Amino acid sequence: MQTLLSHINSYHSLNDEAQKAVENCFEQHVFSKNEYLLTEGKICRHLFFLEKGAIRGYYTLDGKEITYWFGFENDFVTSFHSFITQQPSVENIQFLEGSIVWAISKERLTRLFNEHHEIERLVRIAYEKYYIRLEERFVGAQFKSAAERYENLIRQSPHIIERVSLGHIASYLGISQETLSRIRSRL
Amino acid sequence: MQTLLSHINSYHSLNDEAQKAVENCFEQHVFSKNEYLLTEGKICRHLFFLEKGAIRGYYTLDGKEITYWFGFENDFVTSFHSFITQQPSVENIQFLEGSIVWAISKERLTRLFNEHHEIERLVRIAYEKYYIRLEERFVGAQFKSAAERYENLIRQSPHIIERVSLGHIASYLGISQETLSRIRSRL
DNA sequence: CGGGGCTTTTGACAATGGTCAAAAACCGGG
DNA sequence: CCCGGTTTTTGACCATTGTCAAAAGCCCCG
């Protein structure tokens, strides 16, 4: 829990009362490798904070798994689309390692927003950061070559490369595993 | 101004007091075709609401202009990255048609957030919608073919195709103008 | 109605990346 | 230390898209 609170405070520091409220709303869960946090078709009713471990979001296209995000220590994770709209998810969320997460339900989060303006502010600021990150990734996907995307990943997120298999990284970058292997051999 | 208020209320309806505050904070500006709202290197200090007209954001890469978003009636526009971080912008924002916009400075917006929890909520909800949209666009960019992206655009945003030149649409979709022309001739 | 400039199309060719299949390397458990 | 499964690499070939250059089309203005 301390990890969650200190991460939150790094975004926007909360007063004691709000911190207490946060503590009361998140529940800890432990998962082992390959377990699922969410599967396709289910509605995602929680927001999660990953205290320890690694996780990926993927969906299935033409029988292949397309991993399109990873989460690690100190990341908030959820199926954004499903959590926000409360529609069935198109994605699966699966642990890549044994992990510890803290969960809060959508109802409780909404209540927190009503009771603590500060917490809604925190989330608004978090959205800004996440939006900018996604924008950068979008520009990369649309306008950069496969090799450039891989080099960017090495530069910006070396931890991903160390902890995740090549096949997952390839689909994360939007390229085939074979092409990624060739790119690596050329470096 | 009525357009702005009713658009805002469609996200999350505001009480009278908050509406008054909004009215006092936005200023109207009129621009003609090809004028710039922001140029590369400048810090974007305002958020804009486009009441009427059309606008694009683009940046320059290898001497070519890459249009990566369009705005039309009822869109909020800004250089997100620059506005949020208050760093110099890498993008240019240019009007495609004569337009009417309403502007609010970052300082005033921050003040509104402090004084009206409701307005920060509205923005938080707006971010959610914008995030989901960007996510869809990202998935399209990374995992769909050029032809599929164009067909999606026709289906989801026919107004773009009607109001914007082929060259701009091509770079928006991340493909060359020639390829887009060929895709069209095959339909 | 006839340029002149901009936008769109067409053609030829090259480069990038995907697919399928097989070989090689790696890795954990017995 | 060896086996069996998984992950990664390599090879041959193909499809999609990009690039460069030129032609055609379109539209506004005088």
Side-chain angles (χ1 to χ4, degrees):
Chain A
M1 174 51 74
Q2 206 40 57
T3 321
L4 169 57
L5 286 177
S6 67
H7 180 72
I8 283 179
N9 281 311
S10 77
Y11 270 88
H12 178 79
S13 52
L14 293 184
N15 65 30
D16 288 355
E17 198 199 352
Q19 291 197 27
K20 273 270 166 354
V22 167
E23 275 186 57
N24 290 332
C25 289
F26 279 85
E27 282 175 8
Q28 194 189 54
H29 298 274
V30 176
F31 292 90
S32 46
K33 185 171 171 174
N34 294 328
E35 276 193 273
Y36 282 87
L37 191 53
L38 183 77
T39 51
E40 202 182 325
K42 299 253 168 61
I43 294 175
C44 186
R45 303 192 187 278
H46 293 80
L47 175 69
F48 303 92
F49 174 77
L50 189 52
E51 177 178 319
K52 178 158 174 27
I55 197 168
R56 68 176 182 129
Y58 73 89
Y59 63 91
T60 314
L61 186 70
D62 307 331
K64 272 177 303 188
E65 292 181 0
I66 310 281
T67 297
Y68 78 115
W69 57 263
F70 297 110
F72 300 95
E73 282 74 18
N74 291 330
D75 281 334
F76 282 101
V77 302
T78 187
S79 167
F80 266 98
H81 190 282
S82 175
F83 183 70
I84 289 169
T85 64
Q86 292 291 291
Q87 302 282 316
S89 168
V90 294
E91 68 187 308
N92 302 276
I93 303 182
Q94 184 186 32
F95 290 97
L96 297 170
E97 305 174 1
S99 302
I100 301 170
V101 303
W102 294 85
I104 183 173
S105 71
K106 178 136 182 152
E107 292 75 41
R108 283 203 162 178
L109 186 62
T110 304
R111 217 181 310 143
L112 277 185
F113 288 165
N114 288 332
E115 288 162 8
H116 300 276
H117 184 170
E118 277 199 289
I119 291 177
E120 187 152 24
R121 166 156 306 172
L122 168 77
V123 169
R124 193 259 304 164
I125 293 171
Y127 275 134
E128 291 182 344
K129 294 200 189 185
Y130 278 79
Y131 188 89
I132 289 177
R133 256 197 253 167
L134 183 59
E135 209 173 60
E136 280 166 12
R137 212 175 147 213
F138 165 72
V139 168
Q142 182 115 284
F143 305 113
K144 303 277 166 74
S145 71
E148 284 174 298
R149 298 207 294 276
Y150 181 65
E151 284 161 19
N152 267 337
L153 188 68
I154 292 175
R155 211 169 316 121
Q156 289 170 14
S157 317
H159 58 285
I160 294 186
I161 288 161
E162 283 151 25
R163 288 169 73 174
V164 175
S165 79
L166 201 67
H168 291 156
I169 292 173
S171 73
Y172 177 77
L173 293 172
I175 60 189
S176 73
Q177 173 164 308
E178 295 92 328
T179 297
L180 180 54
S181 172
R182 285 182 241 267
I183 287 169
R184 298 211 308 173
S185 75
R186 282 202 295 269
L187 296 185
Chain B
M1 174 51 73
Q2 205 41 55
T3 322
L4 169 57
L5 287 177
S6 65
H7 179 71
I8 283 180
N9 281 311
S10 76
Y11 270 88
H12 178 79
S13 53
L14 293 183
N15 65 31
D16 288 356
E17 198 199 353
Q19 291 196 27
K20 273 270 165 356
V22 168
E23 275 187 57
N24 289 332
C25 289
F26 279 85
E27 282 175 8
Q28 193 190 56
H29 297 273
V30 176
F31 292 90
S32 46
K33 185 174 172 173
N34 294 330
E35 275 194 272
Y36 283 88
L37 191 55
L38 183 76
T39 52
E40 200 183 324
K42 299 253 168 62
I43 294 174
C44 186
R45 303 191 187 278
H46 293 81
L47 174 69
F48 304 92
F49 174 78
L50 189 52
E51 176 176 320
K52 177 157 175 27
I55 198 167
R56 69 176 181 130
Y58 73 89
Y59 63 90
T60 314
L61 186 70
D62 307 330
K64 272 176 302 189
E65 292 181 0
I66 310 282
T67 297
Y68 78 114
W69 57 263
F70 297 109
F72 300 95
E73 282 74 17
N74 290 330
D75 283 334
F76 283 101
V77 302
T78 187
S79 167
F80 265 97
H81 190 282
S82 175
F83 183 70
I84 289 169
T85 64
Q86 293 290 292
Q87 302 283 316
S89 168
V90 294
E91 69 187 307
N92 302 275
I93 302 183
Q94 184 186 31
F95 290 96
L96 297 170
E97 305 175 0
S99 302
I100 301 171
V101 303
W102 295 85
I104 183 172
S105 70
K106 177 136 182 152
E107 293 75 41
R108 283 203 161 177
L109 186 62
T110 305
R111 219 181 310 142
L112 278 186
F113 288 164
N114 289 331
E115 290 163 8
H116 301 274
H117 184 170
E118 277 200 288
I119 292 178
E120 188 153 24
R121 165 156 307 174
L122 169 77
V123 170
R124 192 260 303 164
I125 293 171
Y127 275 134
E128 292 182 343
K129 294 201 189 185
Y130 278 78
Y131 189 88
I132 288 177
R133 254 198 255 167
L134 183 59
E135 210 173 59
E136 279 166 12
R137 212 175 149 213
F138 165 72
V139 169
Q142 182 114 286
F143 305 113
K144 302 277 165 74
S145 72
E148 283 175 298
R149 298 207 294 277
Y150 180 64
E151 283 161 20
N152 266 338
L153 188 68
I154 293 176
R155 210 169 317 119
Q156 289 171 13
S157 316
H159 58 285
I160 294 185
I161 287 160
E162 283 151 26
R163 288 168 73 174
V164 175
S165 79
L166 202 67
H168 289 156
I169 291 173
S171 73
Y172 177 78
L173 293 172
I175 59 188
S176 73
Q177 173 164 310
E178 294 91 329
T179 297
L180 181 53
S181 171
R182 285 182 241 266
I183 287 168
R184 299 212 306 174
S185 74
R186 281 202 296 269
L187 297 185

